[in-house]
Amino acid sequence: MDYRKSMIDDLSKHRQRVCGLKNLKEKIIAAESELRAIKNADPSKVSVRGGGNADADKRIALIVERDNYKRNYAIIKRAVDVLDAGLATLSEQEKKTLELFYMDRPHDHIGAVCEVWQCEQAEAYRKKDEALRKLTIACYGITEI
């Protein structure tokens, strides 16, 4: 596995994953609200073709949907938590460097990194590589990348 490439991918998707957590939480709440509404419906409704009733079918579909949202939420939450913990091990300058290179990349990201570190371009790239190496080790525990 190319841990460096995986870390770059994780960094570039981090903001979207954080947003996804919020949206998934809302979807879970909405599905649970719908489930409660159906549970309070009259269970003696007329059966539909196929032997079941519409409320039972909808309830099953909502349970499956809610459970899928919960599973996705758990997977994304773990990924976000691991990256947040790894970022917490870095200095503010290192975090800002990785944000500029991979998360919030402005048009002149190299110039912005040079400003953060007060250095030339070649040194900015070295600083970026070192911050990425530290983060990869913090997140994956791999020392040879």
Side-chain angles (χ1 to χ4, degrees):
M1 177 174 181
D2 186 346
Y3 291 98
R4 186 177 187 278
K5 185 176 178 181
S6 182
M7 181 53 57
I8 291 169
D9 188 52
D10 286 348
L11 282 166
S12 67
K13 293 177 181 171
H14 188 65
R15 302 255 193 262
Q16 291 84 3
R17 286 179 174 154
V18 170
C19 182
L21 285 176
K22 181 180 177 239
N23 292 333
L24 279 169
K25 189 169 260 187
E26 292 300 318
K27 295 262 190 194
I28 292 166
I29 291 168
E32 288 174 346
S33 292
E34 277 191 71
L35 270 170
R36 279 191 297 278
I38 290 173
K39 286 180 185 176
N40 294 332
D42 183 4
S44 64
K45 292 215 173 181
V46 179
S47 294
V48 294
R49 202 165 100 192
N53 71 37
D55 286 339
D57 291 343
K58 187 167 183 171
R59 187 177 307 126
I60 290 167
L62 281 169
I63 290 169
V64 169
E65 183 178 317
R66 180 205 56 200
D67 289 350
N68 284 337
Y69 290 146
K70 284 183 174 183
R71 225 178 345 273
N72 289 344
Y73 183 90
I75 291 166
I76 294 169
K77 179 89 169 97
R78 277 192 300 273
V80 166
D81 288 349
V82 165
L83 188 54
D84 284 344
L87 287 168
T89 67
L90 302 179
S91 72
E92 288 305 313
Q93 287 176 313
E94 290 167 329
K95 279 189 249 186
K96 187 66 176 171
T97 299
L98 295 178
E99 286 174 7
L100 291 167
F101 261 88
Y102 303 113
M103 298 166 83
D104 302 320
R105 191 176 184 133
H107 177 69
D108 183 26
H109 62 283
I110 302 300
V113 171
C114 288
E115 281 184 38
V116 167
W117 289 98
Q118 297 297 302
C119 65
E120 299 295 322
Q121 277 188 342
E123 182 66 15
Y125 278 103
R126 280 193 290 279
K127 298 283 191 182
K128 181 262 305 176
D129 289 341
E130 180 58 23
L132 185 61
R133 183 182 158 287
K134 284 181 178 181
L135 181 61
T136 303
I137 292 169
C139 289
Y140 297 121
I142 304 301
T143 58
E144 299 298 321
I145 58 171

